[in-house]
Amino acid sequence: MAQILAPSSQWQMRIARNSAPASPMTAKMWSSLVLKQNKKGTAKSSAKFRVFAVKSENGTINRMEDLLNLDLTPYTDSFIAEYIWIGGSGIDLRSKSRTISKPIEHPSELPKWNYDGSSTGQAPGEDSEVILYPQAIFKDPFRGGNNILVMCDTYTPQGEPIPTNKRHRAAEIFSNKKVVDEVPWFGIEQEYTLLQTNVKWPLGWPVGGYPGPQGPYYCAAGADKSFGRDISDAHYKACLYAGVNVSGTNGEVMPGQWEYQVGPSVGIDAGDHIWISRYILERITEQAGVVLSLDPKPIEGDWNGAGCHTNYSTKTMREEGGYEVIKKAILNLSLRHKEHISAYGEGNERRLTGKHETASIDTFSWGVANRGCSIRVGRETEKQGKGYLEDRRPASNMDPYVVTGPTG
Ligand code: ADP
Ligand code: MN
Ligand code: MN
Ligand code: MN
């Protein structure tokens, strides 16, 4: 398992000019266009190129798609960085783009930036600036090439983290030597529900009605059982391209509901990767014309809710005698049940009913292989005497910086 302890790729990504081979797609896409450009000997800023549209055989060219797929690297050193941050609700994601003119190797080389916090519910109008600090870099699966996605956190102009910035304290904790030495792993199972845009009713469900009862849908295939696989799959590949540590996906018990797992990730990476994966999912569902819901119980009644089970282990839990350490950790978790519940997502009380593979919100419980408990320990962990625990309580809309980091 040592390879998954290696630092994640985003820190090592070198955004070198012309590092990516020219894709055959690009050449083909532009074959119907005559493209003149003179790069050598012309100052970059005044470099001119002209594009002449030439009729293709059927007389039409989809110029928009050509431009969206255009690889910029032969023409400029500049690339596009999409700065992403968490908005005022603590769950909404916002982003804006800027041009970066030089290759960079680490997020700290990117400029800080700002946005209008009065438009995201994060600052008053008369003092509206919130400052973005770039923290983690991923490849941009939408723009391709050397373009990047940048996970940022948010500060006042005086350098104080703003209240919705939960990353700041989590990063502090994860850089504490005692914590670093324990190499904390997190595997997060993000569940989500896809909704039809206009009616906000799950994908595949008859408008104004219900599908047949749960049973045939979990991990299913078939037009009458699986709804939204293209979205799940596109998201899976886009995440792997970006450098997000997705470890798998599956169709869920409620039709129109899906899950993907991120991890094991070490420390602060867990939060960064979940947030970027959610951003990518928002973008893919946007393109598909489908609405993403992270509501913990999107449909009342006999339908499963959506959670974010958080699997956790430390170095000592993974070593000989680890099961004893796991049991101690479970005892500690039991003593702070209320506090943790209040940090595990909005509306979680609608989900943690004690039915549908959940434990009641009011009581703490644990068990081996029991999906009706707050904490589950896998059979394998019990058998091996070491491994990890699964906290089944966090809701799909939880903040992973809070759940993996400080809750108090
Ligand atoms: P479930 O059986 O609950 O559906 P999943 O397979 O969906 O579980 O998710 C389990 C997650 O736990 C995966 O992301 C996996 O990588 C992660 N995981 C595996 N081993 C560990 C470990 N030792 N510590 C933390 N997370 C782990
Ligand atoms: Mn799972
Ligand atoms: Mn699940
Ligand atoms: Mn699980």
Side-chain angles (χ1 to χ4, degrees):
M1 299 271 278
Q3 76 278 14
I4 45 187
L5 269 173
S8 60
S9 55
Q10 88 254 27
W11 298 100
Q12 301 171 330
M13 190 173 90
R14 200 191 150 74
I15 299 148
R17 215 180 132 231
N18 294 343
S19 59
S23 91
M25 270 291 284
T26 312
K28 195 169 137 242
M29 283 180 315
W30 284 91
S31 63
S32 57
L33 301 176
V34 179
L35 189 138
K36 274 194 169 181
Q37 61 104 27
N38 182 357
K39 193 176 173 193
K40 290 238 158 59
T42 317
K44 284 266 161 54
S45 55
S46 63
K48 287 189 185 124
F49 71 88
R50 287 185 290 159
V51 178
F52 300 95
V54 176
K55 276 192 180 154
S56 65
E57 268 157 44
N58 64 8
T60 56
I61 298 171
N62 186 345
R63 293 183 185 82
M64 185 73 92
E65 202 164 317
D66 290 345
L67 286 168
L68 286 171
N69 287 314
L70 173 58
D71 178 10
L72 294 175
T73 47
Y75 309 104
T76 173
D77 284 342
S78 295
F79 60 95
I80 305 169
E82 191 74 21
Y83 279 49
I84 299 162
W85 68 95
I86 298 159
S89 74
I91 183 73
D92 57 316
L93 281 161
R94 311 281 176 134
S95 76
K96 59 178 187 166
S97 324
R98 73 181 285 167
T99 306
I100 306 296
S101 53
K102 281 202 307 266
I104 55 123
E105 288 180 38
H106 191 271
S108 61
E109 292 168 61
L110 287 166
K112 291 188 176 116
W113 203 11
N114 66 73
Y115 66 94
D116 167 16
S118 73
S119 297
T120 59
Q122 289 170 300
E126 65 279 5
D127 185 14
S128 66
E129 262 179 37
V130 177
I131 315 298
L132 292 167
Y133 290 20
Q135 299 290 6
I137 295 174
F138 299 82
K139 284 163 69 177
D140 183 340
F142 303 101
R143 293 192 174 108
N146 288 342
N147 306 300
I148 57 175
L149 304 177
V150 185
M151 192 64 214
C152 302
D153 64 353
T154 43
Y155 295 81
T156 66
Q158 292 72 38
E160 290 294 317
I162 66 169
T164 46
N165 179 352
K166 307 296 185 195
R167 189 187 190 282
H168 181 78
R169 268 199 67 206
E172 268 178 3
I173 285 176
F174 286 126
S175 61
N176 177 310
K177 182 167 182 319
K178 264 170 77 181
V179 178
V180 172
D181 288 348
E182 272 293 337
V183 200
W185 284 7
F186 297 95
I188 298 178
E189 305 168 50
Q190 175 72 64
E191 293 179 340
Y192 61 94
T193 310
L194 299 172
L195 304 177
Q196 303 170 49
T197 304
N198 296 329
V199 290
K200 303 278 165 65
W201 195 238
L203 209 62
W205 291 34
V207 176
Y210 292 84
Q214 292 184 162
Y217 310 110
Y218 171 71
C219 295
D224 56 343
K225 299 183 247 10
S226 176
F227 312 107
R229 186 189 303 278
D230 288 351
I231 290 170
S232 166
D233 243 30
H235 175 256
Y236 194 177
K237 286 193 172 175
C239 282
L240 290 178
Y241 175 97
V244 176
N245 188 15
V246 176
S247 41
T249 71
N250 60 266
E252 269 305 338
V253 174
M254 186 185 107
Q257 203 167 80
W258 292 83
E259 170 180 313
Y260 60 91
Q261 302 95 31
V262 175
S265 312
V266 180
I268 195 70
D269 276 2
D272 288 341
H273 283 225
I274 281 288
W275 277 114
I276 285 289
S277 73
R278 287 177 179 173
Y279 176 81
I280 292 173
L281 191 52
E282 287 279 19
R283 290 282 303 270
I284 284 174
T285 51
E286 170 192 325
Q287 282 184 9
V290 166
V291 171
L292 170 66
S293 170
L294 293 185
D295 191 291
K297 188 79 175 184
I299 307 294
E300 268 177 55
D302 218 359
W303 304 99
N304 274 32
C308 230
H309 298 169
T310 302
N311 300 271
Y312 174 66
S313 65
T314 59
K315 195 158 157 281
T316 45
M317 291 178 184
R318 296 186 294 267
E319 289 170 356
E320 281 324 304
Y323 194 27
E324 290 311 309
V325 184
I326 291 171
K327 282 194 270 194
K328 226 185 261 169
I330 292 172
L331 175 66
N332 285 334
L333 286 170
S334 75
L335 299 175
R336 295 174 63 190
H337 178 64
K338 273 222 166 75
E339 189 185 329
H340 289 151
I341 285 291
S342 68
Y344 277 4
E346 291 283 320
N348 209 10
E349 68 285 349
R350 290 182 279 119
R351 163 177 168 261
L352 295 181
T353 55
K355 286 188 199 150
H356 307 113
E357 301 174 46
T358 72
S360 155
I361 196 165
D362 300 316
T363 48
F364 181 93
S365 56
W366 79 279
V368 175
N370 189 337
R371 287 171 197 270
C373 285
S374 315
I375 308 287
R376 176 174 68 108
V377 173
R379 277 261 175 263
E380 199 57 25
T381 295
E382 187 193 40
K383 208 171 98 196
Q384 303 270 327
K386 60 185 177 183
Y388 62 100
L389 63 89
E390 176 192 42
D391 190 342
R392 301 177 59 80
R393 297 169 297 169
S396 48
N397 60 357
M398 61 84 151
D399 183 339
Y401 294 138
V402 176
V403 170
T404 64
T407 47

